[in-house]
Amino acid sequence: MAQQTTKATIELDAQEMRKAYSGTVLELMKENENIVILDADLTSCIGTGGVAKIFPERMINCGIQEANMMGVAAGLSSVGKIPFVHTFGPFATRRSYDQVFLAIGYSKQNVRIIGSDPGVTAAYNGGTHMPFEDAGLMRLIPGMTVFDPCDNVQIANLLRQTADIYGNFYFRTLRKNPMSIYEEGSTFEIGKAVQLRDGKDVTIIAQGAVLVPEALKAADALAEKGISARVLDMFTLKPIDKEAIIKAAKETGAIVTAENHNVINGLASAVAEILVENIPTPMGKVGVMDRFGQVGNVDFLREEYALTAARIIEEVEKTVARKK
């Protein structure tokens, strides 16, 4: 049974998320000889160089040929291997989409795809490398499970769980240091949101390392304004936690989503689909409003695309005002 304990104080984690990824996969490789790592010439970027020294025969650098890498992963899966495949988010999804769709999804292979630097965290790599659409693309592939973990404890637990499940999985992951939300030892149930704050006036449904901490800040600030905000960490975009969304709508009467992604076909779309089919509810959304990415540091980009606690507060106040 999943159990989570949150930190009393939300602070920057001393460990980079790429270290949480590479360290967890190395542990899994020691336990299961069928696990292999594939990489598109980004070994140093994702921190798997140490893995290559210990298991050189199980670490394949496919070069900057992401589409071909997805085909290699599918082939390895077909002979019983369990590939963990990494590249930057846009190249894991939109560049190699047909190979992921057909060779991995349609063929029902057993592959984990890690797309790093989601949304504005691509920073100085700029608009070409800035995925605001990656989770939405993967959400459209039947059978694909899509994760947007918010911290190191969560991604490590999810990686470990998926190692024992046959299927297709997509992880959005930072390379750098996330905020630390959960205590060590916390576990998570795939497809089930975590309630981080209780509240009665509105529910903020947040996702990922950028917006979950901002949602918590917003909830604290809203409390001082007399607005009681529930916060859900919706770390699984697909399958989304339908029960938690309906429960939140019934109990708080207003929903605001927050995501480091285009609001089209991301978290906002997924939540809206549940609400309109089950319990029409006033809803607001914080996310990228159908724009391309650009060059800048993360703080600048968060302000530029309005992915901040201040923007969540503004949207909550507008949405709560629409309640009957």
Side-chain angles (χ1 to χ4, degrees):
M1 185 175 181
Q3 291 187 319
Q4 308 89 27
T5 306
T6 55
K7 293 278 182 76
T9 304
I10 308 301
E11 297 178 332
L12 195 67
D13 199 311
Q15 178 180 241
E16 295 178 329
M17 194 176 268
R18 61 182 161 186
K19 296 296 183 185
Y21 165 68
S22 60
T24 302
V25 176
L26 177 58
E27 291 174 8
L28 294 170
M29 292 175 81
K30 291 175 180 176
E31 299 167 8
N32 188 335
E33 63 181 9
N34 286 320
I35 292 176
V36 294
I37 291 181
L38 279 66
D39 186 89
D41 210 21
L42 291 171
T43 301
S44 61
C45 289
I46 198 64
T48 49
V51 177
K53 292 178 183 176
I54 298 172
F55 296 114
E57 75 284 3
R58 292 161 61 188
M59 173 85 194
I60 302 171
N61 185 349
C62 294
I64 307 174
Q65 302 180 65
E66 293 85 0
N68 179 60
M69 178 170 67
M70 297 304 174
V72 173
L76 289 166
S77 167
S78 70
V79 295
K81 301 301 181 184
I82 305 173
F84 284 70
V85 184
H86 166 254
T87 185
F88 291 146
F91 309 137
T93 56
R94 67 174 191 251
R95 175 165 291 181
S96 54
Y97 195 64
D98 197 45
Q99 284 73 22
V100 174
F101 190 98
L102 290 176
I104 294 175
Y106 184 75
S107 299
K108 294 183 169 51
Q109 298 300 335
N110 186 26
V111 178
R112 292 103 191 90
I113 301 170
I114 290 81
S116 67
D117 301 36
V120 295
T121 66
Y124 290 111
N125 281 334
T128 57
H129 290 52
M130 195 162 287
F132 292 151
E133 68 298 306
D134 58 319
L137 287 169
M138 297 306 246
R139 181 176 172 245
L140 285 170
I141 298 177
M144 180 73 71
T145 298
V146 181
F147 296 119
D148 199 346
C150 69
D151 80 351
N152 288 333
V153 172
Q154 192 171 64
I155 191 171
N157 181 257
L158 294 173
L159 285 165
R160 180 164 285 281
Q161 287 190 59
T162 60
D164 297 324
I165 305 172
Y166 191 98
N168 306 158
F169 304 89
Y170 178 65
F171 291 82
R172 304 183 95 207
T173 176
L174 291 185
R175 284 186 293 141
K176 298 185 177 178
N177 307 65
M179 302 301 283
S180 181
I181 307 292
Y182 296 103
E183 293 282 2
E184 289 292 336
S186 294
T187 59
F188 304 88
E189 183 175 355
I190 295 171
K192 292 296 181 186
V194 178
Q195 182 171 303
L196 296 172
R197 295 275 196 281
D198 198 6
K200 59 182 178 57
D201 298 324
V202 63
T203 299
I204 303 167
I205 303 178
Q207 193 168 71
V210 173
L211 267 305
V212 169
E214 293 300 303
L216 292 171
K217 286 184 204 171
D220 292 342
L222 286 163
E224 295 178 2
K225 291 171 172 271
I227 298 175
S228 172
R230 180 178 302 182
V231 178
L232 297 182
D233 171 13
M234 193 65 72
F235 63 89
T236 314
L237 176 63
K238 183 187 175 188
I240 200 162
D241 191 344
K242 178 179 175 180
E243 291 180 0
I245 295 168
I246 294 173
K247 182 172 187 285
K250 285 180 179 175
E251 294 178 356
T252 68
I255 301 285
V256 171
T257 56
E259 60 192 311
N260 175 25
H261 187 277
N262 196 323
V263 294
I264 298 174
N265 204 28
L267 179 64
S269 293
V271 170
E273 289 163 11
I274 300 296
L275 294 179
V276 76
E277 291 175 356
N278 296 277
I279 178 169
T281 304
M283 175 183 160
K285 52 193 178 187
V286 173
V288 178
M289 298 297 171
D290 202 23
R291 295 174 59 188
F292 289 110
Q294 60 182 295
V295 174
N297 65 43
V298 174
D299 288 341
F300 163 78
L301 293 167
R302 280 156 36 92
E303 293 290 336
E304 174 67 18
Y305 292 94
L307 308 179
T308 62
R311 175 71 187 100
I312 295 172
I313 293 167
E314 178 186 12
E315 194 65 20
V316 163
E317 291 177 329
K318 286 167 53 180
T319 306
V320 169
R322 292 166 50 208
K323 291 171 68 172
K324 292 180 181 177

